[in-house]
Amino acid sequence: MKQLYFFTIAFFLSLAGFAQTDSIEHKVNALVQKMSLDEKVGQLCLKGTSSRSKGLSDELKDQVRKGLVGAILNLTDTALVLQIQKIAVEESPNHIPLLFGRDVIHGYKTIFPIPLGLAASWDTTLIEKTSEIAANESYSRCINWTFAPMVDICRDPRWGRIAESPGEDPYLASIFAKAYINGFQGNNLAEPGRILACAKHFAAYGAAEGGRDYNTVSISQNTLRNIYLKPFKSSVDAGAATFMTSFNDLNGIPASGNTFLLKDVLRTEWKFRGFVVSDWNSVTEMIPHGYCTDEKDAALKAASAGLDMEMTSQAYAHHLKTLIAENKITIAELDEMVKNILRIKFRAGIFENPYFEGREKFALLDPASLALAKSAAIKSFVLLKNEKNILPLTVQKKIAVIGPLANAPKEQLGTWIFDGNKNDSQTPLTALRNMYGTENINYVSGLTYSRDESQAIFDQAYKAAKKSEVVLFFAGEEAILSGEAHSRADIRLPGAQEELIKRLYKAGKPIVLIIMAGRPIVIEHLLPYISAVVMAWHPGTMAGPALADVLSGKENFSGKLPVTWPKTVGQIPIYYNHTNTGRPADSTSFVGIKDIPIEAWQSSLGNTSHYLDAGYTPQYPFGYGLSYTRFTYAKTTIEKNTLTKVDSLIVTTTVTNTGNRIGTETVQLYVQDVTASLVRPVRELKAFAQVELKAGETKTVRFAIAVSELGFYNNEGIYLIEPGTFNLWVSANAADGFKQSFEVK
Ligand code: NOJ
């Protein structure tokens, strides 16, 4: 009876869904029929105002009045937004409201950790909540479209945009993509407080050569599909309203003119129903790329490839009408682009609610939002080293607080902060003074900013260290050293930070290194000077209280690395889910540079794939992170060792907290397809679970993974699940665990 009841409800809900889709299609078609050619082209134009600009030009108002604009970005004065919206709604020929876009990447006013930091929490519910708050705050300021989430997989920490990324793993990135989109859009885009999400940058932007931004991407179809496209597919499945193309070319064709990506994959295969926007000028940048002769050619190639809306450059505005007159673009093609945009405008409810009604109920920097920002920061921190359990600081009375990031309210916010305000930031220095008493904190910045080369205040810093029991050194990168166009070839601590650490070491006090940065930082050569290392990323508004809580032991660490941490820049790219060579490196055969005799006979040494001087292992593997307690894994049980393609792999493990305080462990499940028709990664993350365990407590963790999830795409784009042996590990990180195996028939 109950079942019948649910069935009936589900049936009517799905009918309602169809009815809504039908009525939207009806409205879209009716509207397009009434629109002039100029107005149609207008819908495809996203006009930029600079992120700092104030005011509305008469030219823009006039264009909106004539229906020549579909959306505006970076207009942040709410009065101006409402003013221009009124012109669109009341004066433009068909009264079509505008979309207002903005880069709200990890919070609007309440700034959460940078996305790479949020990824280190491995907490999808948390990510969803942070993006919901970001959406609510944005909506309250008349923004209805964010250019997020950025779901580019990145295997190169030199690339500045790794800070915005979900890290290196396609599974993790895919579930985070869904969480971000759910948080921004909710179940109903038209609900006040929800905003359109934009999955970006489509596609493979994170594979830019050498980590140089905007650079060439040349990868096989199997790497593209098995690694880089996965989070985008997940974004379509999660209902992302919009997609943004990337700046790079993919195997020779710039993404904004790439028919394979935009039509074959996105529309035909994945059935995407939203619209695709270009990146900033990426349509006309196809000219310097060497793919288009001029602006008109760029408009033709972008439109033919399936790019719906052009951001800031004006190739569509200037040339689409001529291209139609010349029969190079058909009216049907143009209508399709316009409909893609209007469909989303209707779904977002902006025809009914163009003036952001209900926005007053969403407060900026609400206490609950700040509490969430603090807990997000705590969950993002990764404890990388803790020699002799120097942390938590429970016995020390006098603490030296040193370093350029200890009291840097702007820098702790990280990259892509257009609207975050440094005056809202709570810094580590203030929080530690509050916690331990100002008289117990000996603060000297030592360096005034991260790139500072001056040693003028080193002596003072040394004295502060000398009269303290422990040194908390807040190191890292200013916010501007990561993010777009901020790649670095040398990813050690910039400025004279290393020199300062070495100087402080001479004071003979243990040093705790807290890194705030947009990427992993090379620290191998510094480790001998340092007792503990905390990766804090750029933690956002609540960095200070969050750090004070974990350093003092009030809270525990639970973050795990979403990227492999290199020992040296020469190892990059280094990532856990690489494939094997015919000569895989291992400890038994490895020969280091110091082990080679003088005038050694020509030989291939250890015969494996490694560096003589850097070996083959990273500093810290993917998935790694320590806690104030310890977790022990019991042997894993695989329910059925032989499975068919329609079965599920059922795996159970018990995990025990063998330390003496409560903690949360992220239990990771990795799989390897041992032999296949294409070489497969040595390990791939397929599932994980977070368990909170009290001291001494044991819990059973059960995983169920459909065998269909264990397949891969070949170079023809065909998805295969091949029979054979698979290895499996349930472990605390990607370099840990006992290997077991099972068969797929
Ligand atoms: C360029 C960036 O690549 C993109 O991520 C951003 O959304 C746009 N500019 C708009 O600011």
Side-chain angles (χ1 to χ4, degrees):
M1 183 61 203
K2 208 167 170 188
Q3 248 171 349
L4 181 68
Y5 173 75
F6 282 125
F7 176 77
T8 315
I9 294 210
F11 177 73
F12 281 112
L13 279 178
S14 68
L15 273 190
F18 281 128
Q20 197 213 6
T21 318
D22 265 5
S23 89
I24 286 183
E25 280 317 296
H26 181 76
K27 288 179 190 165
V28 167
N29 290 332
L31 183 52
V32 169
Q33 276 182 15
K34 292 195 284 176
M35 290 165 74
S36 68
L37 203 50
D38 281 324
E39 252 191 302
K40 287 180 183 174
V41 174
Q43 282 305 303
L44 315 184
C45 298
L46 168 57
K47 296 273 174 184
T49 58
S50 125
S51 58
R52 289 162 165 236
S53 74
K54 309 249 180 297
L56 279 177
S57 67
D58 286 341
E59 189 196 346
L60 185 61
K61 285 190 216 163
D62 193 49
Q63 287 175 336
V64 169
R65 193 167 286 121
K66 292 186 178 134
L68 305 181
V69 180
I72 293 181
L73 83 153
N74 292 337
L75 191 63
T76 53
D77 181 326
T78 53
L80 297 182
V81 171
L82 298 174
Q83 185 190 338
I84 194 110
Q85 187 74 306
K86 197 160 188 284
I87 297 177
V89 171
E90 292 182 4
E91 300 177 47
S92 76
N94 276 295
H95 317 288
I96 305 173
L98 300 160
L99 289 172
F100 296 92
R102 184 81 164 155
D103 288 286
V104 181
I105 308 297
H106 51 113
Y108 180 77
K109 279 280 183 236
T110 305
I111 303 299
F112 300 103
I114 53 169
L116 190 60
L118 282 176
S121 73
W122 293 52
D123 186 337
T124 45
T125 314
L126 173 80
I127 287 177
E128 185 170 333
K129 282 191 200 149
T130 62
S131 61
E132 184 178 349
I133 298 297
N136 292 168
E137 288 194 355
S138 305
Y139 183 86
S140 82
R141 304 297 299 158
C142 300
I143 292 160
N144 50 20
W145 182 20
T146 177
F147 303 124
M150 192 268 219
V151 297
D152 295 311
I153 300 287
C154 177
R155 294 169 157 184
D156 193 329
R158 291 171 298 182
W159 192 46
R161 305 201 78 168
I162 192 172
E164 298 167 58
S165 90
E168 74 187 31
D169 183 68
Y171 173 75
L172 217 49
S174 301
I175 60 168
F176 291 163
K178 180 167 184 266
Y180 275 110
I181 291 162
N182 288 346
F184 288 130
Q185 298 189 166
N187 297 326
N188 173 10
L189 261 179
E191 189 188 6
R194 299 299 182 171
I195 63 177
L196 307 181
C198 180
K200 71 184 189 186
H201 308 82
F202 195 57
Y205 185 31
E209 223 167 63
R212 291 183 291 276
D213 209 358
Y214 315 122
N215 225 275
T216 308
V217 174
S218 200
I219 49 178
S220 65
Q221 190 166 172
N222 96 68
T223 303
L224 178 70
R225 287 183 180 268
N226 293 315
I227 306 292
Y228 293 94
L229 290 191
K230 283 210 164 153
F232 288 102
K233 170 69 166 64
S234 160
S235 302
V236 173
D237 295 343
T242 71
F243 260 53
M244 186 189 293
T245 56
S246 53
F247 285 121
N248 55 285
D249 76 83
L250 175 63
N251 300 328
I253 302 184
S256 300
N258 198 310
T259 309
F260 164 73
L261 284 176
L262 304 184
K263 281 199 172 151
D264 303 350
V265 175
L266 189 58
R267 295 279 177 202
T268 310
E269 251 181 68
W270 296 351
K271 316 273 180 256
F272 176 61
R273 298 283 287 158
F275 72 84
V276 180
V277 64
S278 76
D279 202 340
W280 188 286
N281 288 354
S282 69
V283 171
T284 50
E285 286 177 13
M286 292 197 288
I287 306 165
H289 258 298
Y291 186 66
C292 300
T293 46
D294 52 23
E295 203 187 47
K296 185 175 170 195
D297 191 28
L300 173 63
K301 291 206 168 112
S304 311
L307 184 112
D308 302 311
M309 187 185 272
E310 184 182 8
M311 185 194 291
T312 58
S313 56
Q314 302 203 49
Y316 281 4
H318 296 161
H319 304 286
L320 269 187
K321 272 171 65 182
T322 320
L323 289 166
I324 285 165
E326 291 170 356
N327 264 331
K328 291 186 175 141
I329 299 287
T330 63
I331 288 281
E333 283 173 309
L334 175 69
D335 284 357
E336 211 38 60
M337 294 155 81
V338 177
K339 284 181 193 176
N340 289 336
I341 293 162
L342 293 179
R343 190 179 299 124
I344 291 300
K345 288 191 172 181
F346 278 110
R347 259 185 68 200
I350 61 167
F351 285 89
E352 293 79 24
N353 178 14
Y355 303 119
F356 297 85
E357 264 160 40
R359 69 189 181 93
E360 58 295 330
K361 78 167 192 252
F362 302 107
L364 301 176
L365 297 160
D366 188 82
S369 309
L370 292 174
L372 180 69
K374 179 177 168 189
S375 97
I378 290 172
K379 289 179 179 175
S380 77
F381 299 147
V382 187
L383 180 63
L384 296 172
K385 174 179 176 175
N386 195 16
E387 215 171 67
K388 296 191 197 136
N389 291 333
I390 180 76
L391 290 177
L393 304 176
T394 45
V395 292
Q396 295 83 351
K397 297 274 174 296
K398 295 281 174 202
I399 299 170
V401 171
I402 299 175
L405 273 295
N407 194 31
K410 156 88 170 61
E411 310 312 339
Q412 71 182 41
L413 298 178
T415 183
W416 281 116
I417 296 307
F418 280 155
D419 304 288
N421 186 338
K422 70 172 186 174
N423 298 327
D424 300 319
S425 289
Q426 303 188 27
T427 71
L429 176 64
T430 310
L432 288 163
R433 280 180 172 155
N434 290 341
M435 181 168 280
Y436 289 94
T438 305
E439 65 289 1
N440 295 318
I441 300 292
N442 296 316
Y443 170 65
V444 179
S445 72
L447 292 160
T448 51
Y449 60 108
S450 75
R451 290 163 294 156
D452 191 356
E453 303 276 355
S454 161
Q455 304 201 356
I457 38 178
F458 275 26
D459 281 348
Q460 276 183 50
Y462 175 82
K463 283 183 196 142
K466 205 68 196 158
K467 61 180 187 199
S468 308
E469 291 152 79
V470 62
V471 176
L472 297 182
F473 191 89
F474 290 87
E477 296 176 325
E478 296 148 76
I480 197 67
L481 297 188
S482 59
E484 188 182 346
H486 294 99
S487 296
R488 295 180 65 207
D490 177 355
I491 57 168
R492 289 176 302 173
L493 292 172
Q497 296 185 72
E498 295 193 349
E499 287 80 355
L500 180 54
I501 289 170
K502 289 179 189 164
R503 178 76 198 285
L504 295 174
Y505 179 72
K506 294 195 179 129
K509 306 299 163 72
I511 301 177
V512 176
L513 179 67
I514 298 113
I515 304 172
M516 289 193 202
R519 54 164 67 81
I521 297 289
V522 164
I523 51 170
E524 189 194 21
H525 52 294
L526 286 177
L527 289 175
Y529 305 95
I530 285 159
S531 302
V533 182
V534 173
M535 183 53 180
W537 318 101
H538 284 127
T541 309
M542 297 299 281
L547 276 165
D549 278 8
V550 284
L551 296 172
S552 64
K554 201 168 155 203
E555 293 283 347
N556 203 344
F557 284 95
S558 60
K560 300 259 192 175
L561 292 176
V563 279
T564 303
W565 191 292
K567 276 190 214 154
T568 156
V569 94
Q571 288 182 310
I572 298 168
I574 184 165
Y575 47 93
Y576 86 94
N577 50 359
H578 61 87
T579 52
N580 251 341
T581 64
R583 297 182 176 192
D586 69 26
S587 57
T588 54
S589 55
F590 174 69
V591 177
I593 197 161
K594 293 189 186 132
D595 305 324
I596 306 171
I598 296 165
E599 297 205 346
W601 179 251
Q602 170 61 43
S603 80
S604 30
L605 299 166
N607 279 326
T608 65
S609 182
H610 62 246
Y611 294 106
L612 290 176
D613 48 0
Y616 56 93
T617 52
Q619 189 73 60
Y620 303 110
F622 173 84
Y624 175 83
L626 303 171
S627 160
Y628 288 150
T629 189
R630 283 183 314 278
F631 301 101
T632 315
Y633 288 60
K635 193 167 172 284
T636 301
T637 309
I638 303 177
E639 198 181 272
K640 241 169 80 182
N641 281 77
T642 305
L643 302 159
T644 67
K645 292 179 188 175
V646 293
D647 284 338
S648 282
L649 168 70
I650 311 283
V651 175
T652 47
T653 305
T654 53
V655 184
T656 304
N657 180 344
T658 49
N660 52 17
R661 59 171 294 168
I662 191 167
T664 297
E665 172 67 336
T666 302
V667 182
Q668 302 158 39
L669 186 149
Y670 296 92
V671 162
Q672 177 192 25
D673 183 350
V674 180
T675 312
S677 55
L678 283 181
V679 292
R680 304 292 304 128
V682 294
R683 282 195 190 204
E684 286 178 279
L685 183 73
K686 288 293 172 187
F688 68 89
Q690 290 196 316
V691 273
E692 189 183 72
L693 294 167
K694 297 192 195 87
E697 194 183 5
T698 299
K699 275 187 187 161
T700 300
V701 181
R702 182 177 185 274
F703 295 104
I705 301 156
V707 171
S708 58
E709 298 290 313
L710 305 181
F712 62 90
Y713 288 93
N714 68 10
N715 278 316
E716 281 71 53
I718 298 166
Y719 189 73
L720 301 169
I721 307 155
E722 295 184 345
T725 305
F726 287 74
N727 290 330
L728 172 137
W729 299 258
V730 175
S731 57
N733 62 64
D736 192 26
F738 295 108
K739 182 162 84 183
Q740 291 177 261
S741 45
F742 62 93
E743 299 288 321
V744 171
K745 279 200 298 194

